[in-house]
Amino acid sequence: MKKLIATVLAVAALAGLAAGCGGEKKAEKTAGGDKKVVLKVGATPVPHAEILNHIKDALAKEGVDLQVVEFTDYVKPNLSLNDKELDANFFQHEPYLKKFCEDRKLELVSLCKVHIEPMGVYSKKVKDIKAIKDGSVIAIPNDPTNGGRALNILAKAGLLKLKDGVGIAATVNDIVENPKNLKIQEAEAAMLPRTLDDVDLAVINSNFAMEAKLNPTKDAIFIEPKDSPYANIVAVRKGDENRPEIQKLKKALLTDDVRKFLEDKYKGSIVPAF
């Protein structure tokens, strides 16, 4: 009988301990108000992660714990979003997203346009794009949409001519006039600043240019017009667009405060798209 009583008391004590632990855990969750919803957003460091970090406090007041996950390439952020390792990403323009999703059969969509990063032409060997010599080597991004975009910029600069109507889908095979016999080399977008010692010109995305301490408005010898259609977007999985925390992210990005941040910090090298 004594053993039975002791067993009952022991079980009761364990139950009470478990109840006590559960109560403390619940109190931790609710202390100081509702628990924040974690929102993981993948981004390249400059300017995307900088912009996201700027709105962290605003989202915290809305009950969203924004966690910025940095990437240095244009492939992993979309794969990680598709695999549900991220809730959203912010690094690309819509033509790139559409092409990526077509090629890999993914269902990712644009949530909103945030800014435009005019692509620039850079050189350590010439200061005027008109001074480029015959047979010069030009490096461009090797991904389809940014490569086509770069070729269009070279065409606008008067260095070559492309087939009519090819647009962003342009490849080196679409060059129909190349009066200076320019040699086009393709490289990963993030690596282009490092090619400047070896090539005559490089067409570089502004985020990678700025990471390399190049100022697009001062250092580029030719820059994409400001009416560029390649606005950088926030991407999410199809069907997630109306999640409350995703909508709060969108609202926090499209504000006068963010517009002023872009204008003050980047001084024309990053242009608001809203």
Side-chain angles (χ1 to χ4, degrees), residues 252-272:
L253 283 168
L254 307 185
T255 61
D256 289 339
D257 174 67
V258 170
R259 182 189 297 275
K260 187 175 186 304
F261 174 77
L262 295 177
E263 292 170 347
D264 291 349
K265 183 172 179 64
Y266 303 110
K267 302 186 185 304
S269 59
I270 301 295
V271 182

Side-chain angles (χ1 to χ4, degrees), residues 7-229:
T7 301
V8 170
L9 290 173
V11 170
L14 286 171
L17 181 61
C21 291
E24 289 174 2
K25 188 174 182 181
K26 186 176 181 180
E28 281 182 12
K29 286 184 177 180
T30 58
D34 294 335
K35 184 182 178 182
K36 287 185 174 64
V37 176
V38 173
L39 189 68
K40 291 186 178 181
V41 182
T44 44
V46 180
H48 306 85
E50 293 176 343
I51 297 169
L52 290 171
N53 285 322
H54 177 73
I55 64 170
K56 261 188 162 184
D57 289 345
L59 282 173
K61 293 176 182 177
E62 296 291 324
V64 178
D65 177 14
L66 176 61
Q67 297 181 6
V68 182
V69 182
E70 293 192 5
F71 293 85
T72 57
D73 73 288
Y74 284 171
V75 176
K76 291 180 182 176
N78 279 335
L79 297 180
S80 295
L81 177 57
N82 182 70
D83 293 341
K84 298 186 178 181
E85 295 168 356
L86 301 171
D87 298 293
N89 67 41
F90 179 33
F91 75 98
Q92 64 196 320
H93 50 64
E94 194 162 7
Y96 179 84
L97 174 66
K98 287 182 176 179
K99 177 66 175 168
F100 193 98
C101 290
E102 286 173 7
D103 291 345
R104 300 186 184 240
K105 311 300 181 188
L106 307 183
E107 290 193 327
L108 308 178
V109 296
S110 171
L111 177 72
C112 60
K113 297 177 180 179
V114 180
H115 69 274
I116 296 169
E117 300 175 12
M119 188 178 267
V121 182
Y122 299 83
S123 177
K124 288 186 176 182
K125 298 180 181 178
V126 296
K127 293 183 179 180
D128 187 336
I129 200 163
K130 295 179 182 178
I132 193 75
K133 296 179 181 178
D134 284 4
S136 292
V137 179
I138 302 179
I140 66 171
N142 64 359
D143 61 275
T145 51
N146 282 302
R149 182 182 179 188
L151 289 171
N152 276 275
I153 290 171
L154 295 175
K156 287 178 182 178
L159 296 181
L160 49 82
K161 186 176 180 181
L162 300 170
K163 288 179 186 176
D164 290 339
V166 291
I168 194 172
T171 70
V172 291
N173 295 324
D174 295 310
I175 298 173
V176 293
E177 291 182 20
N178 185 2
K180 292 193 174 184
N181 298 306
L182 304 173
K183 298 175 183 177
I184 308 297
Q185 291 185 353
E186 296 177 313
E188 186 179 344
M191 300 299 293
L192 286 170
R194 300 183 188 181
T195 69
L196 285 172
D197 290 327
D198 303 314
V199 301
D200 297 288
L201 300 176
V203 188
I204 306 175
N205 296 75
S206 283
N207 59 317
F208 293 128
M210 289 187 291
E211 285 178 33
K213 309 302 180 186
L214 295 169
N215 185 319
T217 56
K218 294 180 180 179
D219 299 322
I221 62 173
F222 186 83
I223 198 162
E224 189 174 29
K226 291 185 178 181
D227 61 355
S228 166

